[in-house]
Amino acid sequence: MARSLYEWLWQHEFWLPPGITWEDMQESEDTHYPQPRHLLLSIPFALILVVIRCAFERAIALPLSTKLGVRDKQRPKAQPNPVLETFYSTCRKNPEEGELLTLAKQCDLPVRKVEKWFRRRRNMDRPSLSKKFSEACWRFTFYIISFFTGLAVLYDKPWLWDHRECWTGYPQQPLQPSLFWYYMLELSFYWSLVFTLPFDVKRKDFKEQIVHHAATIFLISFSYCANYIRIGTLVMVIHDASDCFLEPTKIFNYMKWKKTCDSLFMIFSAVFLISRLVIYPYTVLYNTYYYSMEIFQPFFGYYFVNALLIILQLLHVFWSCLIIHMVYKFILQGTMEKDMRSDTEESDKDEERDKIREKEKNGITYFSNVTSNGYIQRNGSEPLNNRAHLANGHAKER
């Protein structure tokens, strides 16, 4: 059965244009073509990247965050409570009003204290500022290396300057070693992001991130197997261009360098919008949809690769809307607001509100004690110390 599935999956009708078979893609001593088995190398390479990342964050990023003054916020810790902890870990992290009442009765606590416990417990699970800084440093380092690697690999390639060259001789385009290692670098990195997804900082667009990683891995893998190497390299270098500005924007934001952060954010916004909404549609989408039809007739691989590229473009539009909204806020307010993709700290305003209420409550209690102790009895038999206290407190007898 596995053999039948393998033969069905690798039918040349799926992967190659009409009139081309796998026999036409046979390798020789001087000519090499992409082979699907090569993709298996990306898994151990991804694990190596994960190890390198852990070492980088511990040995370089964390000490650097300390030297640059990135300090983690002191968060109030939730008091140990087995009942609430069990509900938090097994049921939900944000209970509804009815569940709060039930839990309050079980723990013999006021509802507001139970609500405060869950708020503090959620904040305990939120990533620290140093973790965000370290993650941004790692991604910035990789994107810089990857982007300039892509430029070094592609600067002398004809399809970088003339996009029709992406299809000259397709699919019988020999695989060059530099293109192979560039592909392995990119694919391994996105596999490493998938491996570390449960441990990375979770943002509001977490689901979109999963879709993005899956589409990217499928696109890279499919483009390699079907020898869309040339168009794939253009996709990767276009994506890395804007990411090189995104991560340092986050880094300076964590460092509280507002002016530098705002300047980099505007540069990133311009590069992102131009590269993803202008260059990408023309260089990639129009290229694969229109120019490729000058060489061969439509087939399954043609539709499949275009579908994946369109999914990426839809994600580009989604993130562009967020960026445009942030730019609009920046123009109105003169400063960049928080990353709309990031989860906000729940305890900030709520903790301050609770402190104010506690102060007000203590102030009312103190005032009540003073007035009750200093109450002037009508029969004139108040204690002498109360008279003195009232006199010092500017209370006058009638």
Side-chain angles (χ1 to χ4, degrees):
M1 182 177 180
R3 179 69 179 178
S4 300
L5 180 61
Y6 179 84
E7 293 177 354
W8 175 84
L9 178 63
W10 294 107
Q11 295 181 70
H12 62 266
E13 291 86 358
F14 291 165
W15 298 85
L16 301 175
I20 305 294
T21 65
W22 291 117
E23 284 72 20
D24 299 322
M25 303 288 293
Q26 293 295 326
E27 295 186 334
S28 63
E29 293 183 358
D30 301 327
T31 304
H32 298 279
Y33 294 109
Q35 301 295 328
R37 65 177 181 272
H38 295 164
L39 299 177
L40 297 177
L41 293 174
S42 63
I43 303 299
F45 288 161
L47 297 176
I48 293 174
L49 282 179
V50 172
V51 174
I52 294 175
R53 172 183 174 175
C54 294
F56 174 86
E57 291 183 353
R58 178 170 296 185
I60 298 177
L62 282 177
L64 183 62
S65 66
T66 303
K67 291 183 179 180
L68 295 177
V70 178
R71 295 181 177 83
D72 295 331
K73 183 177 181 180
Q74 297 296 325
R75 298 167 178 166
K77 293 185 178 181
Q79 296 297 325
N81 191 308
V83 176
L84 300 182
E85 186 65 37
T86 301
F87 185 91
Y88 180 86
S89 57
T90 59
C91 296
R92 66 177 70 192
K93 299 181 178 181
N94 194 2
E96 298 178 355
E97 185 176 355
E99 294 170 333
L100 286 173
L101 293 173
T102 304
L103 292 171
K105 291 180 181 179
Q106 293 178 0
C107 300
D108 193 22
L109 292 173
V111 176
R112 184 156 191 83
K113 285 192 175 182
V114 175
E115 187 179 6
K116 181 191 294 185
W117 187 94
F118 276 96
R119 184 170 64 247
R120 290 183 173 180
R121 183 65 181 84
R122 288 192 298 269
N123 284 333
M124 287 173 62
D125 287 343
R126 295 183 184 277
S128 61
L129 200 61
S130 59
K131 177 177 174 58
K132 294 180 180 180
F133 180 90
S134 300
E135 181 179 314
C137 283
W138 163 250
R139 296 195 183 208
F140 171 65
T141 302
F142 177 84
Y143 288 135
I144 284 290
I145 294 174
S146 177
F147 178 67
F148 284 101
T149 299
L151 292 181
V153 169
L154 295 177
Y155 83 96
D156 60 344
K157 303 299 186 293
W159 62 87
L160 180 64
W161 314 106
D162 184 3
H163 306 320
R164 281 186 170 87
E165 289 293 327
C166 289
W167 310 109
T168 300
Y170 179 83
Q172 295 169 314
Q173 298 172 338
L175 176 64
Q176 301 177 19
S178 59
L179 298 178
F180 167 78
W181 288 112
Y182 182 45
Y183 250 75
M184 286 298 106
L185 177 66
E186 292 279 353
L187 184 58
S188 301
F189 176 71
Y190 281 102
W191 271 121
S192 71
L193 292 183
V194 172
F195 295 157
T196 59
L197 203 58
F199 313 103
D200 287 342
V201 176
K202 290 183 175 60
R203 305 182 186 277
K204 292 181 180 179
D205 61 346
F206 179 73
K207 295 181 180 179
E208 289 80 5
Q209 286 268 354
I210 296 177
V211 175
H212 175 269
H213 295 342
T216 303
I217 290 173
F218 276 118
L219 180 58
I220 293 176
S221 301
F222 176 78
S223 65
Y224 186 85
C225 293
N227 205 11
Y228 287 108
I229 298 291
R230 297 184 178 183
I231 198 69
T233 53
L234 295 179
V235 173
M236 292 186 293
V237 77
I238 288 173
H239 279 71
D240 290 341
S242 59
D243 291 333
C244 291
F245 294 97
L246 173 61
E247 301 306 326
T249 302
K250 296 179 183 178
I251 291 173
F252 285 109
N253 184 40
Y254 302 146
M255 293 168 54
K256 309 299 183 184
W257 290 22
K258 296 300 295 180
K259 292 184 178 180
T260 305
C261 175
D262 293 344
S263 301
L264 281 174
F265 171 72
M266 297 303 295
I267 297 174
F268 159 73
S269 300
V271 173
F272 185 95
L273 296 176
I274 294 173
S275 63
R276 306 292 179 93
L277 299 184
V278 179
I279 297 177
Y280 177 84
Y282 173 72
T283 304
V284 178
L285 293 181
Y286 186 75
N287 192 1
T288 56
Y289 179 78
Y290 181 74
Y291 288 154
S292 61
M293 292 297 94
E294 297 178 354
I295 307 299
F296 51 78
Q297 296 298 316
F299 62 105
F300 174 79
Y302 164 81
Y303 294 111
F304 188 67
V305 74
N306 275 282
L308 291 175
L309 292 172
I310 290 173
I311 290 176
L312 283 182
Q313 182 61 20
L314 293 176
L315 291 170
H316 296 164
V317 173
F318 171 79
W319 283 311
S320 296
C321 292
L322 296 182
I323 292 172
I324 291 172
H325 181 76
M326 294 177 70
V327 172
Y328 176 74
K329 290 288 186 180
F330 176 83
I331 295 174
L332 290 182
Q333 300 175 1
T335 183
M336 187 183 72
E337 65 175 8
K338 289 185 178 180
D339 186 357
M340 294 178 63
R341 299 168 55 218
S342 302
D343 290 333
T344 55
E345 190 81 14
E346 293 184 72
S347 64
D348 292 343
K349 295 182 180 179
D350 294 327
E351 291 291 341
E352 291 177 2
R353 191 181 300 114
D354 291 339
K355 289 179 180 179
I356 292 174
R357 289 181 178 177
E358 290 292 333
K359 289 180 180 179
E360 291 178 349
K361 182 179 178 180
N362 294 335
I364 293 173
T365 304
Y366 175 77
F367 179 75
S368 176
N369 292 334
V370 170
T371 54
S372 61
N373 292 333
Y375 178 73
I376 303 176
Q377 301 179 10
R378 290 185 179 181
N379 58 10
S381 60
E382 67 274 14
L384 182 61
N385 60 344
N386 285 347
R387 281 178 177 271
H389 177 75
L390 293 173
N392 292 334
H394 306 288
K396 296 182 180 179
E397 296 183 4
R398 293 183 180 178

